[in-house]
Amino acid sequence: MAPKRYTWITVWFLITAPIILWDAGYVLMRPRSMEGGDLRWFWSGFDMYERIDNVYSVKAYHAKAGFAPAAAISNLIETSLNLIYLFMVHVSRQNIAPLFGFSGAGMTLTKTTIWILQEHFCGKCSQSSMNELSEIIKFWVAPNIVWYSFCTMIVIRLGKDISNSLNDPVKEHRE
């Protein structure tokens, strides 16, 4: 049986994949992606994030803070799972596809939760003291709410599909 297609999940995964890859690339290519680096032109948009979120800062890089690189590797795994889901839903039509989308969105949800909890328990250590509340809301809070909301909806939707496929009465009669 072919997996169900959800346009909104497809659109979310297609929009977020390049954003996530760009972000992970910035972190994993440091110091070349940072100010003064030969690849900075590709990541020039990170000037703001280096200022708003200390995790992306030059200081964090030199201090060998490991959260950003660990999150970047997680991003690559999550995005790979999401892209495998898209391939299996739209190209190869394999019924195991929801497991990949569920796993990728679940990893993103978990990582976002850890990111938020880390920020809480360290006393907002990643927020620069130069930040204005409007910048924090616009570039940190709002994106996290959007990411958290979509990943939660994907986990719920694909989780229901997985559950329904496990409880399929037609499948039980065939055995």
Side-chain angles (χ1 to χ4, degrees), residues 2-167:
K4 293 181 183 175
R5 293 182 187 182
Y6 299 100
T7 303
W8 65 275
I9 294 175
T10 297
V11 170
W12 176 256
F13 285 163
L14 287 174
I15 289 172
T16 59
I19 295 168
I20 292 168
L21 294 174
W22 187 58
D23 182 82
Y26 167 79
V27 172
L28 297 174
M29 293 300 293
R30 295 183 303 178
R32 296 180 70 191
S33 59
M34 300 169 81
E35 187 175 342
D38 63 325
L39 299 176
R40 181 54 174 200
W41 59 271
F42 190 70
W43 286 282
S44 62
F46 274 82
D47 292 343
M48 171 184 40
Y49 283 101
E50 289 172 356
R51 188 172 44 81
I52 291 172
D53 191 339
N54 286 330
V55 169
Y56 290 98
S57 71
V58 172
K59 181 181 175 184
Y61 171 75
H62 288 299
K64 299 200 182 296
F67 189 79
I73 297 296
S74 179
N75 284 342
L76 295 176
I77 295 167
E78 297 158 19
T79 302
S80 296
L81 291 168
N82 297 344
L83 294 175
I84 290 168
Y85 164 82
L86 292 176
F87 178 80
M88 288 183 165
V89 165
H90 295 283
V91 179
S92 67
R93 308 286 291 149
Q94 295 182 35
N95 63 358
I96 196 170
L99 186 57
F100 285 91
F102 177 89
S103 299
M107 284 183 69
T108 304
L109 186 57
T110 301
K111 185 194 71 233
T112 304
T113 301
I114 290 170
W115 199 292
I116 291 166
L117 291 174
Q118 182 262 162
E119 189 65 11
H120 169 74
F121 288 114
C122 75
K124 299 180 182 174
C125 61
S126 72
Q127 292 181 15
S128 169
S129 61
M130 301 184 322
N131 293 333
E132 293 181 23
L133 182 59
S134 63
E135 284 184 326
I136 293 169
I137 290 170
K138 185 176 179 181
F139 297 111
W140 201 89
V141 174
N144 278 313
I145 288 171
V146 171
W147 231 262
Y148 204 84
S149 298
F150 270 93
C151 290
T152 299
M153 292 186 301
I154 291 169
V155 165
I156 291 169
R157 175 68 268 162
L158 295 180
K160 285 180 181 178
D161 288 354
I162 292 167
S163 178
N164 290 340
S165 72
L166 294 173
N167 296 318

